[in-house]
Amino acid sequence: FSPFFERMIGSFRLMANAGFLMYITDSFGYLGSVLVMLWKEFSTKDIRWSFFFADWSQYVAVIGLISTAFSMFWFHRMYNKESKRI
């Protein structure tokens, strides 16, 4: 993620560093792991990890594709606004 964050910071000419953004994304990763464990343990006891993983992999893939498309359009629009200001 570091090259992506550095490019984003450079494109928008922000006074920032990639370390903070990496810390935030890492925190969300750990939060996701904890939520998966809590969901699995407290929702239904009879589900197997393989079925749980297969089902949620598909959900996360769809959410990831939608989020990526949204981010692409949003960053493209923001970059065009920035380049017109300069």
Side-chain angles (χ1 to χ4, degrees), residues 44-55:
T44 56
K45 300 262 184 206
D46 58 343
I47 193 168
R48 291 186 4 202
W49 275 108
S50 58
F51 294 130
F52 180 83
F53 180 73
D55 289 343

Side-chain angles (χ1 to χ4, degrees), residues 10-14 78-86:
S11 295
F12 294 113
R13 294 185 172 96
L14 299 173
M78 292 300 292
Y79 183 75
N80 286 339
K81 282 183 184 178
E82 279 293 317
S83 61
K84 288 179 184 176
R85 272 188 1 183
I86 296 174

Side-chain angles (χ1 to χ4, degrees), residues 57-72:
S57 297
Q58 295 172 1
Y59 299 140
V60 169
V62 170
I63 291 169
L65 287 172
I66 292 169
S67 298
T68 301
F70 175 76
S71 296
M72 182 184 72

Side-chain angles (χ1 to χ4, degrees), residues 22 24 51 74:
M22 289 177 63
I24 295 295
F51 294 130
W74 187 78

